[in-house]
Amino acid sequence: MISLNPAIVAIDGPAASGKSTIGYQLAQTLGFLFFDTGVMYRAVTWVALDRRIDMADGDALGRLAQAIRLDIRPPGQTDQDGRQCTVLADGEDITWKIRLGEVDRNVSLVSAVGEVRRALSLQQRRIGLHYGSGEAELTGIVMVGRDIGTVVLPAAGLKIYLDASPEERARRRFTELQQRGKDADLEQIYRDIIRRDRQDSERALSPLRAAADATVVDTTSLTPEQVVETLLDLVYD
Ligand code: C5P
Protein backbone atom coordinates (compact mmCIF):
# COMPACT_ATOMS: atom_id res chain seq x y z
CA MET A 1 0.00 0.00 0.00
CA ILE A 2 1.27 3.47 -0.84
CA SER A 3 1.25 6.30 1.67
CA LEU A 4 -2.09 8.06 1.09
CA ASN A 5 -1.53 11.25 3.01
CA PRO A 6 0.11 12.90 1.21
CA ALA A 7 0.26 11.03 -2.08
CA ILE A 8 1.28 11.62 -5.68
CA VAL A 9 -0.08 9.19 -8.28
CA ALA A 10 1.47 9.58 -11.75
CA ILE A 11 -0.39 8.20 -14.76
CA ASP A 12 1.31 8.34 -18.16
CA GLY A 13 0.39 6.83 -21.50
CA PRO A 14 -0.32 7.52 -25.18
CA ALA A 15 -3.19 9.55 -26.64
CA ALA A 16 -6.67 8.24 -25.80
CA SER A 17 -5.40 5.45 -23.54
CA GLY A 18 -8.00 6.48 -20.96
CA LYS A 19 -5.72 8.52 -18.70
CA SER A 20 -8.17 11.36 -18.10
CA THR A 21 -11.26 9.20 -17.58
CA ILE A 22 -9.44 6.80 -15.28
CA GLY A 23 -7.34 9.44 -13.53
CA TYR A 24 -10.43 11.55 -12.85
CA GLN A 25 -12.40 8.64 -11.39
CA LEU A 26 -9.43 7.52 -9.30
CA ALA A 27 -8.98 11.06 -7.94
CA GLN A 28 -12.71 11.30 -7.11
CA THR A 29 -12.57 7.97 -5.27
CA LEU A 30 -9.47 8.91 -3.26
CA GLY A 31 -10.54 12.53 -2.64
CA PHE A 32 -7.45 13.83 -4.47
CA LEU A 33 -6.98 16.67 -6.92
CA PHE A 34 -7.06 15.59 -10.58
CA PHE A 35 -4.55 17.35 -12.77
CA ASP A 36 -4.38 16.59 -16.51
CA THR A 37 -1.06 18.10 -17.64
CA GLY A 38 -1.98 17.66 -21.32
CA VAL A 39 -4.37 20.62 -21.02
CA MET A 40 -1.38 22.93 -20.50
CA TYR A 41 0.28 21.86 -23.76
CA ARG A 42 -3.10 22.09 -25.46
CA ALA A 43 -3.68 25.60 -24.08
CA VAL A 44 -0.35 26.90 -25.42
CA THR A 45 -1.14 25.26 -28.77
CA TRP A 46 -4.58 26.86 -28.98
CA VAL A 47 -3.28 30.33 -28.16
CA ALA A 48 -0.42 29.91 -30.66
CA LEU A 49 -2.91 28.94 -33.41
CA ASP A 50 -5.20 31.81 -32.43
CA ARG A 51 -2.33 34.29 -32.66
CA ARG A 52 -1.11 32.73 -35.90
CA ILE A 53 2.30 31.89 -34.46
CA ASP A 54 4.34 29.73 -36.82
CA MET A 55 4.38 26.15 -35.45
CA ALA A 56 7.98 25.82 -36.66
CA ASP A 57 9.12 28.87 -34.65
CA GLY A 58 10.31 27.23 -31.40
CA ASP A 59 11.56 30.53 -29.92
CA ALA A 60 8.17 32.20 -30.35
CA LEU A 61 6.38 29.17 -28.88
CA GLY A 62 8.77 29.13 -25.93
CA ARG A 63 8.22 32.84 -25.28
CA LEU A 64 4.47 32.30 -25.42
CA ALA A 65 4.60 29.40 -22.90
CA GLN A 66 6.54 31.61 -20.48
CA ALA A 67 4.33 34.67 -20.90
CA ILE A 68 0.86 33.16 -20.88
CA ARG A 69 -1.05 32.86 -17.59
CA LEU A 70 -2.72 29.48 -17.33
CA ASP A 71 -5.28 28.73 -14.65
CA ILE A 72 -6.79 25.31 -14.18
CA ARG A 73 -9.72 25.15 -11.78
CA PRO A 74 -12.44 22.72 -10.78
CA PRO A 75 -15.63 23.46 -12.80
CA GLY A 76 -17.80 26.20 -11.28
CA GLN A 77 -21.56 26.01 -10.62
CA THR A 78 -22.35 27.61 -13.98
CA ASP A 79 -20.21 25.35 -16.14
CA GLN A 80 -21.49 21.84 -15.51
CA ASP A 81 -21.16 20.80 -19.18
CA GLY A 82 -19.17 17.61 -18.80
CA ARG A 83 -15.80 19.28 -18.27
CA GLN A 84 -13.34 17.80 -15.76
CA CYS A 85 -11.75 21.18 -15.15
CA THR A 86 -11.95 24.72 -16.44
CA VAL A 87 -8.93 25.98 -18.38
CA LEU A 88 -8.27 29.72 -18.55
CA ALA A 89 -5.57 31.38 -20.65
CA ASP A 90 -5.03 34.99 -19.61
CA GLY A 91 -8.53 34.91 -18.13
CA GLU A 92 -10.31 33.50 -21.22
CA ASP A 93 -12.18 30.20 -20.84
CA ILE A 94 -10.67 27.90 -23.50
CA THR A 95 -11.81 24.58 -21.98
CA TRP A 96 -13.47 23.31 -25.17
CA LYS A 97 -11.32 25.12 -27.72
CA ILE A 98 -8.32 23.02 -26.67
CA ARG A 99 -10.21 19.88 -27.76
CA LEU A 100 -10.51 20.96 -31.41
CA GLY A 101 -8.95 18.72 -34.09
CA GLU A 102 -6.62 21.55 -35.06
CA VAL A 103 -5.12 21.44 -31.55
CA ASP A 104 -4.87 17.62 -31.68
CA ARG A 105 -2.90 17.88 -34.90
CA ASN A 106 -0.44 20.54 -33.69
CA VAL A 107 0.06 19.86 -29.98
CA SER A 108 2.92 17.38 -30.44
CA LEU A 109 4.91 19.99 -32.38
CA VAL A 110 4.46 22.48 -29.54
CA SER A 111 5.22 19.96 -26.78
CA ALA A 112 8.51 18.97 -28.43
CA VAL A 113 9.94 22.50 -27.98
CA GLY A 114 12.46 22.62 -25.10
CA GLU A 115 11.47 26.04 -23.76
CA VAL A 116 7.79 25.08 -23.78
CA ARG A 117 8.52 21.89 -21.83
CA ARG A 118 10.73 23.68 -19.34
CA ALA A 119 8.12 26.38 -18.62
CA LEU A 120 5.23 23.93 -18.25
CA SER A 121 7.12 21.15 -16.40
CA LEU A 122 8.22 23.68 -13.79
CA GLN A 123 4.63 24.72 -13.10
CA GLN A 124 3.49 21.08 -13.04
CA ARG A 125 6.22 20.07 -10.59
CA ARG A 126 5.33 22.97 -8.30
CA ILE A 127 1.66 22.01 -8.24
CA GLY A 128 2.47 18.29 -7.77
CA LEU A 129 4.87 18.93 -4.89
CA HIS A 130 2.39 21.26 -3.21
CA TYR A 131 -0.29 18.57 -3.15
CA GLY A 132 2.25 15.86 -2.36
CA SER A 133 3.58 17.80 0.62
CA GLY A 134 0.53 17.44 2.83
CA GLU A 135 0.16 21.23 3.03
CA ALA A 136 -2.60 21.56 0.43
CA GLU A 137 -6.34 21.45 1.15
CA LEU A 138 -6.52 17.95 -0.39
CA THR A 139 -4.29 15.09 0.75
CA GLY A 140 -3.05 14.04 -2.65
CA ILE A 141 -2.95 14.48 -6.40
CA VAL A 142 -3.44 12.30 -9.46
CA MET A 143 -1.37 13.73 -12.30
CA VAL A 144 -1.74 12.44 -15.85
CA GLY A 145 0.47 13.11 -18.87
CA ARG A 146 3.35 11.68 -20.86
CA ASP A 147 6.38 12.27 -18.62
CA ILE A 148 5.06 12.59 -15.07
CA GLY A 149 6.67 9.40 -13.75
CA THR A 150 9.85 9.83 -15.79
CA VAL A 151 10.63 13.57 -15.62
CA VAL A 152 8.14 15.81 -13.81
CA LEU A 153 7.76 13.80 -10.58
CA PRO A 154 9.99 10.73 -10.64
CA ALA A 155 9.54 10.41 -6.85
CA ALA A 156 5.75 9.83 -7.18
CA GLY A 157 4.52 7.15 -4.76
CA LEU A 158 2.71 5.21 -7.48
CA LYS A 159 3.45 5.24 -11.21
CA ILE A 160 1.08 3.79 -13.76
CA TYR A 161 1.53 3.50 -17.52
CA LEU A 162 -1.82 3.01 -19.29
CA ASP A 163 -1.74 1.50 -22.75
CA ALA A 164 -4.24 0.19 -25.33
CA SER A 165 -4.07 -0.80 -29.00
CA PRO A 166 -4.25 2.14 -31.44
CA GLU A 167 -7.44 0.70 -32.96
CA GLU A 168 -9.16 0.63 -29.57
CA ARG A 169 -7.93 4.12 -28.71
CA ALA A 170 -9.26 5.49 -32.01
CA ARG A 171 -12.63 3.82 -31.34
CA ARG A 172 -12.80 5.41 -27.87
CA ARG A 173 -12.00 8.89 -29.18
CA PHE A 174 -14.57 8.43 -31.99
CA THR A 175 -17.32 7.47 -29.51
CA GLU A 176 -16.38 10.36 -27.22
CA LEU A 177 -16.71 12.89 -30.07
CA GLN A 178 -20.01 11.38 -31.23
CA GLN A 179 -21.38 11.63 -27.71
CA ARG A 180 -20.49 15.31 -27.68
CA GLY A 181 -22.43 15.69 -30.94
CA LYS A 182 -19.30 16.34 -33.03
CA ASP A 183 -18.56 15.09 -36.54
CA ALA A 184 -16.04 12.29 -36.33
CA ASP A 185 -14.16 10.23 -38.90
CA LEU A 186 -12.75 7.00 -37.43
CA GLU A 187 -10.05 6.59 -40.10
CA GLN A 188 -8.84 10.17 -39.64
CA ILE A 189 -8.78 9.79 -35.84
CA TYR A 190 -6.78 6.56 -36.19
CA ARG A 191 -4.22 8.24 -38.45
CA ASP A 192 -3.93 11.25 -36.09
CA ILE A 193 -3.38 8.95 -33.11
CA ILE A 194 -0.63 7.00 -34.88
CA ARG A 195 1.09 10.23 -35.87
CA ARG A 196 0.85 11.72 -32.37
CA ASP A 197 2.17 8.46 -30.81
CA ARG A 198 5.17 8.64 -33.12
CA GLN A 199 5.86 12.32 -32.44
CA ASP A 200 5.44 11.93 -28.66
CA SER A 201 7.67 8.86 -28.39
CA GLU A 202 10.37 9.86 -30.85
CA ARG A 203 10.99 13.41 -29.63
CA ALA A 204 14.39 14.10 -28.05
CA LEU A 205 13.08 15.72 -24.86
CA SER A 206 11.07 13.70 -22.32
CA PRO A 207 9.77 11.19 -24.87
CA LEU A 208 6.70 9.14 -24.01
CA ARG A 209 7.80 5.94 -22.29
CA ALA A 210 7.01 3.98 -19.16
CA ALA A 211 9.23 4.71 -16.14
CA ALA A 212 11.34 1.70 -15.16
CA ASP A 213 9.34 1.37 -11.93
CA ALA A 214 5.89 2.02 -13.45
CA THR A 215 3.17 -0.63 -13.53
CA VAL A 216 2.00 -1.07 -17.12
CA VAL A 217 -1.75 -1.69 -17.49
CA ASP A 218 -3.07 -2.72 -20.90
CA THR A 219 -6.66 -1.47 -21.00
CA THR A 220 -7.56 -2.68 -24.51
CA SER A 221 -10.15 -5.20 -23.33
CA LEU A 222 -11.02 -3.64 -19.98
CA THR A 223 -13.95 -1.39 -19.08
CA PRO A 224 -13.15 1.91 -17.31
CA GLU A 225 -14.57 0.41 -14.09
CA GLN A 226 -12.21 -2.56 -14.37
CA VAL A 227 -9.21 -0.26 -14.91
CA VAL A 228 -10.12 1.87 -11.88
CA GLU A 229 -10.46 -1.34 -9.81
CA THR A 230 -7.01 -2.45 -11.00
CA LEU A 231 -5.48 0.88 -9.98
CA LEU A 232 -7.24 0.87 -6.60
CA ASP A 233 -5.79 -2.61 -6.02
CA LEU A 234 -2.33 -1.13 -6.69
CA VAL A 235 -2.99 1.77 -4.31
CA TYR A 236 -4.13 -0.52 -1.49
CA ASP A 237 -1.84 -3.45 -2.31
O1 C5P B 1 -3.05 13.84 -22.95
P1 C5P B 1 -3.36 14.76 -24.13
O2 C5P B 1 -3.69 14.00 -25.37
O3 C5P B 1 -4.37 15.79 -23.82
O4 C5P B 1 -1.99 15.54 -24.37
C1 C5P B 1 -1.83 16.39 -25.48
C2 C5P B 1 -0.37 16.42 -25.92
O5 C5P B 1 0.40 17.14 -24.96
C3 C5P B 1 0.33 15.07 -26.07
O6 C5P B 1 0.15 14.50 -27.35
C4 C5P B 1 1.80 15.44 -25.84
O7 C5P B 1 2.40 15.92 -27.03
C5 C5P B 1 1.71 16.61 -24.87
N1 C5P B 1 1.99 16.24 -23.48
C6 C5P B 1 3.31 16.12 -23.10
N2 C5P B 1 3.64 15.88 -21.79
C7 C5P B 1 2.66 15.75 -20.87
C8 C5P B 1 1.31 15.85 -21.25
C9 C5P B 1 0.99 16.08 -22.57
O8 C5P B 1 4.21 16.23 -23.93
N3 C5P B 1 3.01 15.55 -19.58
Side-chain angles (χ1 to χ4, degrees):
M1 173 155 174
I2 62 163
S3 155
L4 284 176
N5 185 6
I8 299 175
V9 177
I11 305 181
D12 291 304
S17 54
K19 300 182 302 294
S20 321
T21 309
I22 303 305
Y24 183 73
Q25 287 182 20
L26 184 71
Q28 295 287 96
T29 308
L30 295 171
F32 288 2
L33 180 77
F34 171 68
F35 179 20
D36 179 357
T37 60
V39 303
M40 297 182 94
Y41 291 95
R42 288 176 176 274
V44 173
T45 306
W46 163 255
V47 176
L49 288 166
D50 195 41
R51 294 187 190 172
R52 311 218 185 291
I53 292 176
D54 179 359
M55 289 294 144
D57 187 345
D59 289 342
L61 292 169
R63 280 197 300 277
L64 176 66
Q66 280 171 349
I68 194 176
R69 223 192 81 222
L70 294 178
D71 286 308
I72 298 153
R73 307 189 180 147
Q77 294 288 355
T78 51
D79 34 44
Q80 300 294 332
D81 54 3
R83 64 182 66 192
Q84 290 171 330
C85 62
T86 292
V87 182
L88 303 171
D90 290 332
E92 186 197 349
D93 186 339
I94 56 166
T95 306
W96 292 115
K97 288 178 179 157
I98 64 171
R99 299 291 161 193
L100 293 172
E102 212 184 347
V103 174
D104 275 342
R105 282 187 286 279
N106 287 282
V107 65
S108 292
L109 294 174
V110 175
S111 70
V113 175
E115 280 310 314
V116 174
R117 297 209 73 78
R118 260 186 289 282
L120 300 189
S121 300
L122 209 69
Q123 294 190 43
Q124 292 162 13
R125 190 169 300 127
R126 203 168 38 228
I127 296 169
L129 290 177
H130 177 61
Y131 281 87
S133 69
E135 286 158 16
E137 63 276 20
L138 298 173
T139 54
I141 185 167
V142 174
M143 272 173 79
V144 312
R146 299 290 186 291
D147 60 346
I148 307 305
T150 50
V151 175
V152 177
L153 289 164
L158 179 64
K159 299 182 193 177
I160 312 287
Y161 187 88
L162 286 188
D163 210 350
S165 71
E167 291 80 7
E168 173 61 18
R169 288 185 283 129
R171 256 195 307 276
R172 289 178 190 168
R173 190 47 51 90
F174 177 72
T175 311
E176 198 181 291
L177 287 168
Q178 279 196 322
Q179 281 167 352
R180 291 216 311 264
K182 303 277 177 223
D183 279 344
D185 173 350
L186 185 59
E187 265 305 306
Q188 174 71 40
I189 294 172
Y190 177 78
R191 280 196 301 273
D192 286 348
I193 279 184
I194 295 283
R195 198 182 52 213
R196 197 138 64 93
D197 280 359
R198 202 174 48 237
Q199 286 171 337
D200 287 344
S201 27
E202 290 179 359
R203 69 181 177 221
L205 288 166
S206 315
L208 167 68
R209 63 180 171 80
D213 52 352
T215 303
V216 179
V217 179
D218 185 340
T219 72
T220 306
S221 53
L222 299 179
T223 64
E225 292 73 26
Q226 288 172 319
V227 182
V228 173
E229 279 303 313
T230 307
L231 300 202
L232 283 171
D233 284 348
L234 291 169
V235 168
Y236 293 117
D237 203 4

